[in-house]
């Protein structure tokens, strides 16, 4: 559950508030993708902006010289020398190991498990930016890394990396990259239309909260933004429960008689004596049942309380 957007009555001759725009109208979001997003609760731009990602920390270091550390997440630019299939036990399917060479001449390798189809993408001579975890024993071996083609070769300028990365919840047909691109589109093109539904923050301040959630400059900023939205979720839940309670208790109910004789016989069958708290709970339930107002009560007790 996310904080609910403000309700706008938009006249038919005026454009829709951008933050309330259905995702299916955004570029790159067709009907099938919109349905996949809807399955995880994302129907509008507002939903995406308030979907809390997971902060996964800074990007791995880019290592263009020297040996790669073992058992460490790294990024490295290297060209493909060759890619050959491997058939081993325990993982099933065809694995692929690509021999790589960095600009300084260091030989590296990338191994992909159960991914024979990758051979046609790993063309000899082509440069890629590789990102993954190195093997804990074999120096220079990347295990099932992600890779991005560098059309400009080793000298291609890499895009700026954010200080911290975030990861989004995905679903069938929606990759992590697609979710990230969607969030960026919503931030760049629609964040300006969002305001705080509770009125606690000025528009610019609330928009900064959402920006810190998706593009945090520090862990503290991300944590503060996440806590702000968590409080909104609790507020929205409390409001919905209060509305439901008012609706249920507002309707007339049936008053039930309470037979003292049956009550005493029931107590006599118990192998223990009720505590003061239990007696109070019974008395309150009895009062509710004898009233024409529907009972709206949760009986809660610790393990062993009877």
């Amino acid at each position: 559950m996310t904080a609910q957007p403000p309700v706008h009555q938009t006249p038919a001759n005026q454009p829709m508030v951008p933050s309330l725009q259905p995702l299916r109208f955004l570029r790159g979001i067709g009907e099938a993708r919109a349905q996949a997003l809807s399955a995880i609760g994302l129907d509008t731009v507002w939903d995406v902006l308030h979907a809390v990602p997971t902060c996964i920390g800074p990007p791995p270091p880019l290592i263009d010289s020297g040996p790669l550390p073992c058992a460490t997440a790294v990024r490295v630019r290297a060209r493909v020398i060759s890619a050959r299939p491997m058939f081993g036990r325990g993982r099933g399917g065809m694995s692929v190991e690509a021999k790589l060479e960095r600009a300084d001449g260091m030989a590296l390798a990338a191994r992909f498990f159960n991914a024979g189809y990758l051979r046609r993408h790993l063309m000899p001579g082509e440069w890629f930016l590789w990102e993954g975890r190195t093997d804990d024993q074999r120096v220079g071996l990347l295990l099932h890394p992600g890779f991005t083609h560098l059309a400009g070769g080793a000298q291609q300028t890499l895009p700026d990396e954010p200080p911290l990365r975030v990861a989004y919840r995905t679903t069938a047909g929606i990759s992590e990259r697609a979710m990230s691109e969607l969030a960026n589109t919503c931030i760049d093109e629609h964040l300006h239309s969002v305001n705080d539904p509770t009125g606690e923050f000025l528009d610019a301040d609330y928009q900064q909260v959402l920006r810190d959630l998706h593009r945090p400059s520090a862990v503290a900023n991300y944590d503060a933004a996440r806590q702000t939205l968590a409080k909104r979720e609790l507020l929205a839940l409390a409001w919905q429960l209060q509305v439901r309670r008012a609706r249920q208790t507002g309707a007339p109910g049936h008053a039930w008689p309470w037979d003292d004789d049956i009550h005493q016989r029931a107590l006599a069958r118990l192998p223990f004596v009720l505590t003061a708290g239990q007696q109070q709970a019974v008395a309150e339930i009895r009062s509710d049942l004898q009233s024409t107002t529907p009972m709206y009560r949760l009986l809660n007790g610790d393990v062993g309380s009877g």
Side-chain angles (χ1 to χ4, degrees), residues 214-295:
H214 296 278
R215 297 175 178 174
S217 58
V219 174
N221 298 69
Y222 169 83
D223 288 341
R226 185 168 57 88
Q227 289 174 11
T228 295
L229 290 197
K231 293 176 182 176
R232 302 306 168 86
E233 291 183 9
L234 290 175
L235 180 62
L237 176 60
W239 177 79
Q240 291 183 8
L241 291 176
Q242 187 65 27
V243 170
R244 182 184 302 175
R245 178 174 185 174
R247 186 184 304 119
Q248 293 179 347
T249 58
H254 178 73
W256 292 87
W258 189 277
D259 190 306
D260 286 324
D261 182 58
I262 296 177
H263 175 65
Q264 293 301 325
R265 281 190 290 159
L267 292 179
R269 291 177 63 87
L270 296 177
F272 54 87
V273 177
L274 295 184
T275 65
Q278 291 169 335
Q279 292 176 13
Q280 179 182 352
V282 172
E284 291 176 358
I285 292 173
R286 174 177 182 171
S287 176
D288 286 346
L289 290 176
Q290 291 178 311
S291 170
T292 56
T293 300
M295 182 167 64

Side-chain angles (χ1 to χ4, degrees), residues 21-26 29 34 37 42-45 48 182 186:
Q21 181 175 352
L23 295 177
R24 67 179 183 276
F25 295 126
L26 298 185
I29 305 295
L37 290 167
L42 304 180
D43 295 298
T44 66
V45 170
V48 174
L182 174 59
C186 292

Side-chain angles (χ1 to χ4, degrees), residues 139-213:
V139 177
L141 174 63
L142 294 164
L143 300 177
H144 213 95
F147 55 91
T148 303
H149 184 235
L150 300 178
Q155 304 306 315
Q156 177 175 325
T157 301
L158 301 181
D160 293 334
E161 281 282 352
L164 293 173
R165 287 181 175 179
V166 297
Y168 295 90
R169 177 187 177 190
T170 60
T171 185
I174 306 293
S175 66
E176 171 61 33
R177 176 175 294 183
M179 280 297 306
S180 180
E181 291 175 352
L182 174 59
N184 286 332
T185 297
C186 292
I187 293 171
D188 294 336
E189 301 181 9
H190 302 290
L191 182 61
H192 66 277
S193 70
V194 175
N195 52 42
D196 181 8
T198 69
E200 179 184 355
F201 290 91
L202 297 175
D203 290 354
D205 293 336
Y206 190 67
Q207 291 162 14
Q208 185 60 50
V209 168
L210 298 180
R211 191 175 287 108
D212 287 339
L213 187 73

